[in-house]
Amino acid sequence: MSEAIKNRYEFTILFDVENGNPNGDPDAGNMPRVDPETGYGIVTDVCLKRKIRNCIETICEGKPGYRIYVKEGVPLQRSDKEAYTYLGTDEKDIKKMKTNDPELDKKIRDFMCQNFFDIRTFGAVMTTFVKNALNCGQVRGPVQLGFARSIDPVVTQEVTITRVAITTEKDAENKKTEIGRKYIIPYALYRVDGYISANLARKVTGFSEEDLQYLWQAIINMFEYDRSAARGNMAVRELIVFKHDSELGNAPAYKLFDTIHVHKKDGVVAPRSYHDYEVTVDEDKVPEHVTCTRMI
């Protein structure tokens, strides 16, 4: 594996949606997530990580060390068993083996981190190992995202749709169309801030410079390879990266994020495109020993 990163990073992503549902809430009929107090739109960190995972799986298909642990159709226990196979044991003998090998936890953790990009990046809770009283079951990843929030309050629209295909023979005797509903946001620009700890990368997962470049590529393209009817017009518009000169960092994260300003252009009341906004970075206010790069 490549050497772990040596610099701390913070980054900000701006992405938008047009006539779509960026993150439906299953507890609310799949309506777009909205903060009920302010009306601002929300997209969860889990949703964004899913997009990044899917993108990595696409651009790194078949590349050793870049498999995805949390993925559809693959039980986590199945992937966990690979570590036991690698060590030449199984769940039944693991406690006995741990008694004889104090480094067992580290060996399992390192195996999982080396083989699965998302464990190396975001960390993971590996229930199989937790149940067997192994300390490697919970891995804290160096890359963390918050919730994305829209720049302005959003308006959710319920759109009635019809189809000519009837579900059952009985229904076909009485009607010629069926009615359904879908929820959209006409337009919204979202912002999410992220953090990368070089300290955790070195001590825990081994997240490397090569991993970092793939992460930037996946963030930039996370909606390009994941189109659907609900998310047809979504795009990452900005990726602003702050690189510290050291492992532990040279400035508080909030000071860096405060240099980014997003606001509507003069005369715009209801934004309907990214061009209705202006994005600026006060680079002269970025602290010493921190470099700001606008990657898009």
Side-chain angles (χ1 to χ4, degrees):
M1 295 294 293
S2 302
E3 191 176 9
I5 59 171
K6 298 181 180 298
N7 304 87
R8 188 181 115 185
Y9 293 85
E10 273 83 43
F11 59 93
T12 293
I13 308 167
L14 293 176
F15 64 91
D16 61 0
V17 58
E18 180 181 351
N19 295 327
N21 184 351
N23 185 200
D25 184 349
D27 288 331
N30 206 44
M31 290 178 62
R33 297 180 190 270
V34 176
D35 179 346
E37 288 189 321
T38 64
Y40 286 94
I42 294 173
V43 175
T44 66
D45 60 324
V46 175
C47 174
L48 297 174
K49 288 177 182 178
R50 177 75 273 149
K51 304 296 182 292
I52 293 171
R53 285 183 173 101
N54 290 347
C55 193
I56 287 292
E57 191 169 31
T58 298
I59 63 181
C60 297
E61 185 175 3
K63 183 177 175 64
Y66 286 85
R67 295 167 58 197
I68 297 300
Y69 180 68
V70 181
K71 61 183 294 184
E72 183 180 1
V74 181
L76 301 181
Q77 187 181 37
R78 185 186 305 170
S79 299
D80 294 342
K81 286 182 178 179
E82 294 183 27
Y84 292 141
T85 302
Y86 169 75
L87 294 170
T89 186
D90 54 33
E91 289 188 61
K92 296 179 181 179
D93 298 328
I94 198 67
K95 292 183 180 179
K96 179 180 179 181
M97 188 175 181
K98 182 179 179 179
T99 303
N100 299 325
D101 186 358
E103 293 291 313
L104 182 64
D105 289 292
K106 185 177 183 299
K107 290 177 182 177
I108 294 176
R109 184 198 69 192
D110 290 348
F111 173 84
M112 298 301 287
C113 287
Q114 288 168 11
N115 283 275
F116 297 96
F117 172 84
D118 53 339
I119 297 179
R120 201 160 61 246
T121 305
F122 303 125
V125 177
M126 295 173 279
T127 309
T128 301
F129 304 137
V130 173
K131 288 182 177 179
N132 285 309
L134 295 169
N135 293 329
C136 60
Q138 296 187 26
V139 175
R140 185 179 172 195
V143 180
Q144 299 299 328
L145 292 170
F147 276 26
R149 194 183 75 159
S150 63
I151 302 300
D152 292 299
V154 299
V155 176
T156 299
Q157 293 184 1
E158 183 181 36
V159 179
T160 302
I161 56 177
T162 61
R163 72 178 186 188
V164 296
I166 309 302
T167 303
T168 66
E169 292 285 354
K170 183 177 181 180
D171 287 343
E173 296 174 359
N174 303 313
K175 55 184 179 180
K176 294 183 179 180
T177 61
E178 289 195 341
I179 295 177
R181 290 175 177 82
K182 65 189 301 184
Y183 296 98
I184 65 166
I185 292 175
Y187 182 82
L189 179 64
Y190 291 80
R191 170 177 173 166
V192 60
D193 298 325
Y195 313 81
I196 303 179
S197 168
N199 186 255
L200 280 175
R202 175 178 59 84
K203 289 182 175 180
V204 182
T205 72
F207 183 81
S208 68
E209 289 292 340
E210 184 179 16
D211 295 332
L212 182 66
Q213 297 310 311
Y214 277 122
L215 176 66
W216 299 146
Q217 186 179 348
I219 289 173
I220 291 170
N221 294 286
M222 62 180 170
F223 301 118
E224 299 301 317
Y225 310 136
D226 192 47
R227 301 292 182 187
S228 70
R231 300 184 302 276
N233 294 325
M234 291 190 68
V236 174
R237 297 291 188 165
E238 286 267 4
L239 173 56
I240 302 169
V241 177
F242 297 98
K243 179 180 180 180
H244 298 254
D245 285 351
S246 65
E247 179 182 287
L248 296 180
N250 303 89
Y254 76 88
K255 286 191 175 182
L256 306 179
F257 294 139
D258 284 350
T259 64
I260 302 173
H261 305 284
V262 185
H263 56 82
K264 296 193 293 285
K265 292 181 179 178
D266 292 342
V268 175
V269 177
R272 284 298 181 265
S273 79
Y274 181 68
H275 303 293
D276 289 334
Y277 286 93
E278 185 175 356
V279 181
T280 59
V281 181
D282 294 334
E283 296 194 31
D284 58 327
K285 293 184 179 179
V286 175
E288 192 177 2
H289 302 299
V290 178
T291 304
C292 176
T293 304
R294 297 178 75 165
M295 299 188 69
I296 298 181

